[in-house]
Amino acid sequence: MDDDLRFKLLKKNLNYVYARVPHYRKAFKEAGITPDDIGGMKDLPKVPFLYKDDLRKYYPTGILAVEKREVVRYHASSGTTGKPTVVSYTQSDIRTWAQMVADCLRLVGINEGDIIQNSYGYGLFTGGLGLHYGAELLGASVVPTSGGNTQRQVQIMKDFGVQVLCCTPSYALYLAEVVERNGIDPHELPLKIGVFGAEPWSDSMRRIIEESLDIKAYDIYGMSELGGPGVGMECPNQDGLHVWDDKFIVEIIDPKTGEVLPEGEKGELVFTSLWKEASPVIRFRTGDITYLYEEGCECGSTDQRIGRLLGRTDDMLIIRGVNVFPSQIEHVLSKIKGVSGHYQIYVDRKGSLDEMEIFVEMTKDLFNDSMREILELKGQIEADMYAILNIKVKVTIVEPGKIPRSEGKAQRIVDKRVI
Ligand code: DLL
């Protein structure tokens, strides 16, 4: 998109929030600026950040830039700590959001008439209704299964001839297991595409899902505060997520200093919305970590592109002073034969020392092997973890099916430390 036009959109949005939302007016004042001080894109870093905690203060209505009666829908974040943040939508917000999601689906070759099973949860979570409205706008046929009742989900997938599956990657993995358990050959299902997001997942997990369901699996990114799913989407090249230039301005910052980082450097994702009427976000700190690509994509798009999400600033575990991201653990596990994609990390404190134990599920093939081989596997994982993380980690191998399956976002970390 043309830079001038984009700046005009930014300026319009800055004026809009300044005129309508007391929170922004106050924050701008404290930073000693008004929208008039922003003369070009280069001035954006002068604008103060918006934090999740700022939004929490406005529970239960959320930050509102319109009259309450103009709100046609509310959603809320799925945050596990503190009060949820509430986001509101006008008629126009719902239409634009649906358009964004429809464009994401079109980007990976999903078309009018395709049968989509939408197993994202319907409700306050934005996944279910977000994908639903986008898919309908595209003209696809939606089967709104929501999460849960996995046996029935598999039956529906087969009976309805489902071609596209939308859900969290961990649920896709579980569905693949139930498909196998039911003696269904995935090659004989018409399923061809998966649209997976709402939680971190690695490239190796993608390969496992693609092979076990015989599909191409695409990453979709979003966040309640930004509107929901459809903020970022991979194209068929599966190389980074595209973010529409006319909908958001993306910045990557150093989470400690707040300084804007150059393209290619890893840091915290910050979004400014250019389309939201009811709950506009200006320089919103997502807490998600990734980087910005320097150039346009081989697919021809020149829109902004971000790397797949690497983790969250608040997901980082500090174990005996060492920073550990769950994505590093998943990366190590994914390279080892004999382990499935299911694992859980337990952290506890014994005396004054942190201890980390990883429960790793073995595959069915390995389950038939001897105790000696299983012990070897445990030793190998512990050694590989030490090589990457530089801390001793206890690994416990468990039998297939032992790690709890999730119907939505998987709970990978159980932190029992009382600090
Ligand atoms: O998870 C929206 C969504 C629904 C996205 C369906 C994709 C598909 P929240 O519940 O507010 O919204 O959670 C947002 O989930 O800040 C990330 O940490 C994480 N997340 C979302 N998508 C991805 C992804 C929805 N593709 C939080 N990769 C975000 C990694 C993701 N993490």
Side-chain angles (χ1 to χ4, degrees):
M1 190 184 188
D2 177 55
D3 279 353
D4 289 347
L5 195 56
R6 209 150 169 251
F7 177 63
K8 272 190 193 137
L9 276 177
L10 170 66
K11 199 71 199 230
K12 191 175 142 201
N13 275 271
L14 292 176
N15 285 321
Y16 178 83
V17 299
Y18 191 74
R20 288 168 174 252
V21 185
H23 172 84
Y24 284 113
R25 211 164 30 245
K26 184 165 167 267
F28 280 35
K29 209 169 179 181
E30 279 166 10
I33 59 158
T34 73
D36 291 340
D37 295 309
I38 310 304
M41 283 292 191
K42 61 169 189 352
D43 292 332
L44 185 56
K46 289 184 187 165
V47 177
F49 292 121
L50 175 70
Y51 295 86
K52 212 174 169 100
D53 266 347
D54 291 330
L55 297 178
R56 284 206 178 100
K57 282 188 236 151
Y58 301 99
Y59 183 83
T61 43
I63 207 167
L64 257 192
V66 296
E67 296 290 326
K68 240 173 145 180
R69 61 181 166 75
E70 291 175 73
V71 174
V72 297
R73 187 166 340 143
Y74 292 104
H75 280 287
S77 74
S78 51
T80 45
T81 48
K83 278 186 186 148
T85 55
V86 178
V87 275
S88 29
Y89 302 75
T90 63
Q91 288 277 16
S92 156
D93 285 338
I94 295 286
R95 268 197 302 272
T96 316
W97 179 25
Q99 190 62 60
M100 257 164 53
V101 174
D103 290 343
C104 288
L105 300 178
R106 203 176 286 115
L107 190 63
V108 294
I110 302 168
N111 289 309
E112 193 185 327
D114 279 343
I115 303 171
I116 301 186
Q117 181 160 343
N118 186 16
S119 309
Y120 284 114
Y122 281 63
L124 282 174
F125 173 54
T126 51
L129 285 170
L131 263 301
H132 185 104
Y133 272 60
E136 272 191 2
L137 189 67
L138 183 69
S141 314
V142 190
V143 192
T145 45
S146 193
N149 206 339
T150 309
Q151 186 63 40
R152 194 179 63 157
Q153 298 251 4
V154 168
Q155 192 66 44
I156 285 175
M157 194 184 282
K158 185 165 168 256
D159 295 347
F160 283 56
V162 167
Q163 293 154 304
V164 179
L165 173 66
C166 300
C167 61
T168 57
S170 53
Y171 194 51
L173 207 58
Y174 182 31
L175 276 167
E177 270 178 14
V178 179
V179 164
E180 193 195 343
R181 212 183 298 148
N182 278 266
I184 300 169
D185 177 1
H187 301 275
E188 279 168 17
L189 292 175
L191 202 62
K192 54 180 183 177
I193 292 174
V195 180
F196 305 134
E199 65 182 9
W201 56 307
S202 60
D203 263 337
S204 351
M205 182 148 164
R206 184 209 306 267
R207 273 194 299 279
I208 298 175
I209 298 172
E210 286 190 333
E211 275 165 31
S212 55
L213 284 174
D214 191 27
I215 56 171
K216 241 185 136 179
Y218 294 105
D219 196 1
I220 185 166
Y221 170 76
M223 194 177 194
S224 326
E225 292 82 350
L226 305 176
V231 174
M233 180 77 197
E234 280 184 328
C235 73
N237 290 331
Q238 294 178 317
D239 182 16
L241 298 127
H242 296 241
V243 178
W244 315 112
D245 272 358
D246 61 338
K247 299 294 182 295
F248 293 102
I249 295 173
V250 180
E251 295 170 280
I252 299 285
I253 62 152
D254 177 329
K256 288 204 186 90
T257 63
E259 187 197 336
V260 177
L261 297 175
E263 284 152 351
E265 273 190 40
K266 284 177 201 156
E268 184 178 344
L269 253 176
V270 170
F271 277 92
T272 295
S273 65
L274 299 173
W275 60 280
K276 292 173 104 244
E277 285 186 346
S279 311
V281 286
I282 305 289
R283 300 201 86 210
F284 177 65
R285 295 195 48 167
T286 60
D288 288 324
I289 301 167
T290 190
Y291 57 93
L292 255 174
Y293 278 67
E294 279 176 37
E295 287 156 13
C297 179
E298 272 181 28
C299 74
S301 157
T302 55
D303 281 308
Q304 308 153 97
R305 193 158 41 119
I306 55 173
R308 298 190 69 202
L309 282 291
L310 300 164
R312 290 189 51 78
T313 50
D314 50 6
D315 238 13
M316 187 179 77
L317 291 163
I318 304 179
I319 311 285
R320 302 186 188 185
V322 177
N323 297 349
V324 177
F325 283 102
S327 57
Q328 289 175 296
I329 292 171
E330 184 167 319
H331 182 73
V332 172
L333 292 178
S334 67
K335 300 240 171 297
I336 297 174
K337 230 177 130 227
V339 298
S340 75
H342 302 284
Y343 64 93
Q344 220 165 23
I345 305 161
Y346 273 73
V347 187
D348 207 349
R349 184 163 284 183
K350 297 269 159 65
S352 58
L353 273 188
D354 293 334
E355 289 191 348
M356 184 158 83
E357 181 169 4
I358 308 175
F359 290 83
V360 182
E361 208 178 278
M362 63 179 116
T363 58
K364 273 205 212 97
D365 297 346
L366 191 86
F367 189 49
N368 298 325
D369 286 352
S370 70
M371 195 60 187
R372 186 173 56 81
E373 271 154 309
I374 292 168
L375 285 175
E376 270 173 20
L377 178 72
K378 170 183 159 71
Q380 186 197 345
I381 302 175
E382 285 178 344
D384 287 1
M385 288 291 169
Y386 187 74
I388 296 281
L389 307 176
N390 229 339
I391 45 168
K392 284 224 165 70
V393 168
K394 184 177 171 199
V395 169
T396 302
I397 309 274
V398 297
E399 64 199 72
K402 211 52 192 199
I403 306 275
R405 303 297 191 250
S406 78
E407 290 162 359
K409 301 187 192 228
Q411 193 195 358
R412 299 282 192 210
I413 304 168
V414 181
D415 197 340
K416 293 183 159 168
R417 287 177 293 185
V418 183
I419 297 175

